Amino acid sequence: MTAELVRGQNHTLPQTRLEIRVSAGTPVVAGATLGDERGTVRGIEWIAHPGSPQLPGLEVSQQAAADHRLAVDLEALPAGAHRVTVLLALPVGVGGPVRFGAVPAPFVAVTGLDGTEIASFTLTDLDAESAVSALELYRRQDVWKVRAVGQGYAGGLAAMLADQGVTEPAALAGTIQEAVTRGLARSVAPPPPRTPEGDRVRHATGSADHRPTAPPPAPEPPEPLTDPAATGPAHTAQPHTAQPHTAPGPAAAGPSAAGTSAGGPINYAHPRRQHAAPPSPPPTAPPAQPGQPAQPVAGDATGWSMDERLYNQIWGMFEDLARAVAAYRSAVDFAESRMDQELDRALSDPRNRIGGAGDRAREAARAKRDELTSRAREALDRDLAQLAAEAAVVEPALPAAYAGWGNPVWHAHRIPMEIPMALRIGDLHLPERTDLRIPLLVRLPLERGIWVDSGRAASEAAALMDTDRLRRLAMETAVAHAARLLAVYPPGEFAVHVIDPAGSAAGPLAPLVEAGVLAGPPAGGPGGVSSVLAHLTRRVDLVQMAVRARAADSLPPDLDTGEQLLVVNDFPHGFDDRAVTQLRYLADEGPAVGVHLLMVADREEASAYGPILDPLWRSLLRITPVADSHLADPWVGHAWTYEPLTVPPGSRVLEQVLAAVAEARRAAGR
């Protein structure tokens, strides 16, 4: 039975390998400090945080998220460590809330490796505090206990670290926040909040804002990192192979070593699949044979439309795969750690270091390690097989916006009358099964600009390529994304501008130019750069003023109120200081009023600007023209390999799609 703690209350821990699960309604930074018998932190080497996430017996998340799972092995802590204090803090300088009083109360649970809750604590009554010491695990007379703390700090992370006895707390707090900022820049943002019924609010095309205006959902398992706002206990997951809409049970199951070593199924069902279904039910799978998993079907998730169901299903698959692999890797790490501990204990006796006793101890420890690892792999393979079967039925059912260029849906594509929920910009996979690809979907309208990295230092594959070929591939990638955006927006609702200062992208830009779908000829030279930037900056200023004054009818009649995309090639060539400032302004202020960036650039070539451009790079979603492992999921922070979408060799699908865009514009008189 779970012990529900209040401030100051403690509870005996029945085991030493634990998970500490944090659920919050907004991204938070999670860390932990180790203390001696007096609670003193001996140095920064006793602090686990996103910039240094691993200590002996302790591991924390590498990024800010609304959902954390901290792994703790109390027997593996450094000698002299008698206390583990779990710390939470709000990220600084990322545009989020600045005090815990403005967000739902965080919930912290200590669980066993099988997901069973041992003790839980809801951190209530926080107000101006931006950092909080949530709970502590401490050893008293060789017995480990957990105590609910809930001590908040209005002075933030630095004040909390100072109270822990850390020297130079402000410098360490800055290091942690910098690591968090880097993590946010490389992380894929998960779906936005949904209504309490689990459904997205749709808006007609042409409205001032296509984004949902739903309030945070009722208490339920939250999503991490720029996530849906949700509060409540930790994930209560159902087996992926079970019916996806079953109600959650009382115990949370997650990626754990014990879960795999026990030989039972691992539970990773996406929590969104537990919402009540909307009025129009999703497709249902045929009845499963006894003892067999349910057969997957496309659209097996909640939503008002098939597109929304597929969108939610893809995100469910994404999270399921992330958590399944996290469980496997955790189990392997546990098996290795357990083998090392058993060997240390066996060989600590000098009599066992010689003769057959030592050899037998080594063989027994390795055999147990191999058994645990094998069971973990079997559990992973079951989950991967189910996900692969689901992907096989989902991929052919995807609409054009979610489909790759090789999908036949593009050959029958018609320009829509309203924008889709999202757009596919590539695929993601993990090394445990490289053929299991998850579509990378970004919300529409775009909430963040895109940077196609044309630098040779971007990845190992890029380093092996010729510089000119890599730059051409990067621009072709940008053109393909621009074409996809034009194809999924209603006629006249999306305009593409191009800045090509030296005219070096004439070849890759040819499909857009020949189809006549650009807002104007590609701008070249300093004058062209200045003209386009001034035009779009003026649009941002005017729309912002109209929105603030609630006077949309006061906009000039010649102002295009549709979404605008600026494609910039070979940045920073052709940009002076004023142009760079305008570009940063568009990156910061443009997305909120419908102006978006798609940059093709090599960061090394812009190094002369120094840190002044760091906010620009961080504000953009970085993708590459070749495969590269640089994107992180928002749940456990795996490094995923990104694969760009490519047009099949010899296919004319890109030209056909752009011709359809041009024809739709002519028919609509645009």
Side-chain angles (χ1 to χ4, degrees), residues 67-414:
D67 179 28
H68 291 274
R69 299 190 182 198
L70 284 63
V72 181
D73 184 353
L74 298 173
E75 292 184 351
L77 295 177
H82 289 254
R83 185 173 303 181
V84 179
T85 304
V86 177
L87 314 175
L88 305 178
L90 293 170
V92 175
V94 297
V98 295
R99 61 186 185 91
F100 275 108
V103 302
F107 176 88
V108 184
V110 180
T111 76
L113 294 181
D114 60 355
T116 302
E117 285 190 8
I118 300 169
S120 64
F121 175 41
T122 302
L123 284 76
T124 57
D125 300 325
L126 297 175
D127 187 11
E129 299 89 347
S130 59
V132 61
S133 175
L135 55 78
E136 63 182 13
L137 313 179
Y138 65 98
R139 181 162 51 190
R140 182 71 53 83
Q141 296 178 348
D142 294 329
V143 176
W144 282 95
K145 298 183 178 182
V146 56
R147 177 188 291 122
V149 180
Q151 174 64 52
Y153 297 85
L157 186 57
M160 181 168 57
L161 292 172
D163 194 43
Q164 294 276 321
V166 177
T167 57
E168 299 184 2
L172 179 57
T175 300
I176 295 172
Q177 294 292 358
E178 177 61 26
V180 171
T181 302
R182 291 196 303 268
L184 288 171
R186 65 186 285 268
S187 179
V188 178
R194 304 173 70 197
T195 63
E197 294 76 20
D199 303 305
R200 192 177 77 93
V201 178
R202 300 298 298 269
H203 297 270
T205 300
S207 61
D209 188 2
H210 299 286
R211 298 180 182 86
T213 57
E220 61 164 311
E223 307 282 338
L225 192 69
T226 333
D227 312 48
T231 63
H235 281 292
T236 305
Q238 300 299 316
H240 185 81
T241 55
Q243 293 296 333
H245 297 290
T246 53
S256 67
T260 56
S261 62
I266 301 180
N267 303 328
Y268 307 113
H270 189 265
R272 295 189 182 284
R273 303 185 188 187
Q274 298 164 0
H275 287 288
S280 176
T284 57
Q289 296 298 323
Q292 297 295 322
Q295 295 300 312
V297 295
D300 193 6
T302 59
W304 287 105
S305 66
M306 187 54 141
D307 285 5
E308 186 171 6
R309 293 171 192 153
L310 288 168
Y311 174 83
N312 291 331
Q313 186 174 14
I314 288 170
W315 273 98
M317 294 165 59
F318 188 9
E319 182 174 355
D320 289 349
L321 180 55
R323 295 200 183 281
V325 171
Y328 169 70
R329 293 179 181 178
S330 176
V332 171
D333 290 343
F334 168 65
E336 293 287 346
S337 174
R338 179 171 178 172
M339 181 186 70
D340 292 341
Q341 292 177 24
E342 290 180 352
L343 287 175
D344 289 342
R345 285 196 295 267
L347 301 179
S348 61
D349 186 346
R351 291 172 296 180
N352 291 336
R353 297 176 188 172
I354 58 176
D359 293 338
R360 287 193 296 272
R362 293 185 186 92
E363 291 176 3
R366 288 167 183 155
K368 191 170 293 183
R369 184 270 315 272
D370 293 342
E371 180 186 4
L372 292 176
T373 302
S374 176
R375 289 182 180 180
R377 186 70 212 194
E378 289 175 4
L380 175 65
D381 288 342
R382 287 197 300 269
D383 289 317
L384 293 181
Q386 183 68 9
L387 284 168
E390 189 172 6
V393 299
V394 167
E395 187 70 36
L398 295 178
Y402 302 174
W405 286 116
N407 193 312
V409 70
W410 278 107
H411 295 284
H413 179 62
R414 297 291 180 268

Side-chain angles (χ1 to χ4, degrees), residues 389-483:
E390 189 172 6
V393 299
V394 167
E395 187 70 36
L398 295 178
Y402 302 174
W405 286 116
N407 193 312
V409 70
W410 278 107
H411 295 284
H413 179 62
R414 297 291 180 268
I415 308 304
M417 296 309 296
E418 67 171 13
I419 67 171
M421 288 186 62
L423 183 75
R424 185 174 184 168
I425 63 169
D427 293 328
L428 299 172
H429 66 81
L430 291 172
E432 280 73 10
R433 182 159 178 176
T434 57
D435 64 327
L436 179 53
R437 307 295 177 91
I438 302 295
L440 175 57
L441 303 180
V442 294
R443 292 279 297 187
L444 293 181
L446 293 173
E447 299 170 349
R448 185 180 181 185
I450 297 175
W451 162 32
V452 184
D453 192 346
S454 61
R456 294 187 64 198
S459 67
E460 293 181 6
L464 298 175
M465 297 187 66
D466 175 76
T467 300
D468 292 338
R469 173 165 169 72
L470 184 62
R471 289 180 176 176
R472 182 180 180 88
L473 276 179
M475 195 59 195
E476 288 175 351
T477 300
V479 168
H481 289 317

